[in-house]
Amino acid sequence: MTTLATTPIQPYTALHLKHFPVKIYTTPSGIEIHPMWSGEGNLSYLVVNPENRQALLIDPDLEILGSYLLTLDMQQLRLVATIDTHNHAEHASAGPALHKLLGVAYIMFENAPSSFVTDRVKDDDTRTLAGIPVAFMATPGHTTNVMTVKIDGHIFTGDSLFNKSCGRTDLPGAGGDAGVQFDSLQRLMRLLDDTVVHPGHDYNNQASSTISEIRRENKRVQFTDRAEFIRFMGEYYVNEEKPDDLEYYVAFNAR
């Protein structure tokens, strides 16, 4: 059962304040999940083991590097790893910077382009990080290197799956494939109903959902015909604007 944490991390400055949502999550084994906002709807997650005061950062955004460092310092947390779920196209990852500043591991899927990655994982790989069992699940489609991170009944889906939609598959240079995206969504929907989903983006101030809620409310996962899904994705995004500075961020994160 997932509950709200009783002692959530508190912000310390006005700038810091806007990066913390109200809801903080505690997993069945007591691991704390602290969503952090950046940009316009971008989400990253500070995952804390309160027993040893160690932490992970999932999809860290360079825009709020100072807030991560301030949080770690004020809460006396030791960051041991950062994880990027994929090569981002709309913001700069803080993974390489945190690796260089703090010497922490930087984890991505095996075919991710960044030269800063210190640990490349494969589908169904597991690691113990900060004393926390972490599993990795390949969920490509948005890009070729998207993965979902699984921790104690919670999943971090990056741009594979959002609360009400999924990642687009038409971004230049990303290797997006709507058919592969359909397959990944079907795989995610086979997870347990009460699995808590933490997406890489949300534009309605909703930091999480559950698999059962997504099955009910997300039209993208309700397609049963692969060809129909491919056709829908192609038609839906034909006139949609691409992210600002797309080429820059893709190249920056692939260094």
Side-chain angles (χ1 to χ4, degrees):
M1 180 179 178
T2 298
T3 61
L4 294 183
T6 55
T7 55
I9 289 175
Q10 297 298 318
Y12 295 96
T13 69
L15 177 64
H16 203 198
L17 177 64
K18 69 178 183 178
H19 300 144
F20 280 88
V22 174
K23 289 186 177 180
I24 309 299
Y25 299 89
T26 303
T27 76
S29 63
I31 302 303
E32 298 175 3
I33 297 169
H34 300 263
M36 295 182 72
W37 297 97
S38 58
E40 297 181 1
N42 296 337
L43 278 161
S44 56
Y45 299 90
L46 180 65
V47 181
V48 177
N49 184 342
E51 291 188 359
N52 59 19
R53 306 305 295 166
Q54 295 181 6
L56 318 171
L57 263 171
I58 298 175
D59 285 337
D61 188 339
L62 191 60
E63 179 181 322
I64 59 169
L65 176 62
S67 283
Y68 299 134
L69 295 173
L70 179 62
T71 300
L72 294 169
D73 182 70
M74 295 296 290
Q75 294 295 322
Q76 297 185 329
L77 298 172
R78 183 168 74 87
L79 187 69
V80 301
T82 63
I83 302 170
D84 267 326
T85 57
H86 65 293
N87 192 48
H88 302 283
E90 68 294 302
H91 69 267
S93 170
L98 287 163
H99 167 63
K100 288 188 285 186
L101 284 169
L102 304 179
V104 302
Y106 180 36
I107 301 170
M108 291 190 75
F109 198 64
E110 60 179 337
N111 62 344
S114 175
S115 63
F116 291 99
V117 175
T118 63
D119 187 0
R120 296 181 180 274
V121 295
K122 299 179 180 181
D123 187 32
D124 292 328
D125 273 358
T126 60
R127 298 286 189 275
T128 298
L129 304 167
I132 302 169
V134 181
F136 302 92
M137 175 182 179
T139 49
H142 171 63
T143 73
T144 59
N145 55 68
V146 185
M147 65 179 180
T148 291
V149 180
K150 301 194 289 185
I151 297 175
D152 197 16
H154 292 243
I155 61 173
F156 303 84
T157 55
D159 289 13
S160 299
L161 175 66
F162 304 141
N163 296 319
K164 298 294 176 65
S165 63
C166 65
R168 60 195 299 173
T169 56
D170 65 329
L171 298 181
D177 186 305
V180 174
Q181 178 82 319
F182 175 85
D183 298 337
S184 291
L185 293 176
Q186 294 295 305
R187 187 181 184 193
L188 286 164
M189 288 306 101
R190 290 194 288 271
L191 296 174
L192 295 175
D193 286 356
D194 61 354
T195 300
V196 182
V197 180
H198 301 282
H201 301 277
D202 188 81
Y203 305 98
N204 300 297
N205 294 320
Q206 181 184 357
S208 72
S209 189
T210 64
I211 289 293
S212 62
E213 290 169 341
I214 287 173
R215 284 200 199 101
R216 203 168 50 243
E217 300 172 6
N218 187 336
K219 291 181 170 49
R220 304 283 178 93
V221 306
Q222 294 171 1
F223 281 90
T224 57
D225 184 273
R226 197 173 190 265
E228 286 184 9
F229 179 82
I230 293 171
R231 183 166 53 252
F232 166 81
M233 292 292 283
E235 293 174 353
Y236 186 89
Y237 288 107
V238 67
N239 294 317
E240 286 283 306
E241 292 184 1
K242 303 288 192 297
D244 292 338
D245 301 314
L246 166 69
E247 293 82 4
Y248 174 80
Y249 285 127
V250 169
F252 181 91
N253 291 325
R255 294 177 306 161

